[in-house]
Amino acid sequence: MGIVRVSIYQKRLPDALNVTVLKKLAALKSDFLLFPEYFFADQSVRDLRAALDRSQVALDWLLKLSEAYRGVILGGLMSFQENGSRYCATPIIQGSQVIDWYRKRRLSQTETPLATPGDEPGVYILGGFRFSVLAGAEANSESYWKELNEQGMKLAFVLTSGPEFDADDAINRLLELSRQHGISIAICSGAGQSAGLQAGGRSMVLTPAGITWRTSQQERDMEILKTALINVSA
């Protein structure tokens, strides 16, 4: 695949979305733009159920952004209704339309009463790039990475707003999985606390060669916008 330009938006969950943020993101020149889980759950949202109920507003905002941003948007995690079931799902957006949804398979304790788990791996081809999507604690599952390796996956995006990578041990395990399976991984984490979510602020890029970028200890509660270049082998 060669060089992939990935913009990672580590958003502070308590902060509301606004026109200034939209304009800043719309000006990016990258292949992918990643949002953390529930990036729209600002301080006016009391809990996860209320956040899910706000999903359509967040989706409309992303579609507006996609009118100007020309890459692929991975829109965090939000509510998606299909055939009478509600899923916690990632909208995959390009050209002002939702191309597909990744339905989260491993739900958290707070998500389980509110949604149905998905049952398919998130594997996609867009803009000439083949990639996978994982959400939250799914990234800690060795079986998921083995599954992606068996499908020849070389690039994966992890969207999270939880504590999955608070401990260095979890990051080291993921780095070992990256090396073992030959997959480059970009993690987009939320920051701060809102709607009962405590985000770790640990956005980073891992490749089989090591960690090429990550937020510092001082940046873990900050909004960070980083465009990373990832060299992905065919």
Side-chain angles (χ1 to χ4, degrees), residues 7-12 15 18-30 33 35 61 65 68-69 223-227:
S7 294
I8 298 170
Y9 181 35
Q10 177 174 293
K11 180 184 176 292
R12 276 182 43 80
D15 298 342
N18 53 53
V19 174
T20 300
V21 172
L22 190 147
K23 289 181 177 179
K24 176 170 62 176
L25 299 178
L28 294 169
K29 307 295 183 184
S30 54
L33 171 56
F35 285 79
W61 190 89
L65 170 62
Y69 175 74
E223 176 184 297
I224 301 292
L225 180 57
K226 169 71 175 181
T227 297

Side-chain angles (χ1 to χ4, degrees), residues 126-149:
L126 275 177
F129 300 105
R130 190 164 183 261
F131 62 95
S132 182
V133 180
L134 297 95
E138 292 178 338
N140 294 327
S141 171
E142 292 191 25
S143 64
Y144 282 19
W145 292 107
K146 181 180 179 182
E147 178 181 50
L148 295 179
N149 179 56

Side-chain angles (χ1 to χ4, degrees), residues 88 104-118 138:
C88 294
K104 187 175 182 180
R105 294 188 286 172
R106 178 172 290 190
L107 302 178
S108 69
Q109 287 185 340
T110 53
E111 291 166 343
T112 297
L114 303 174
T116 300
E138 292 178 338

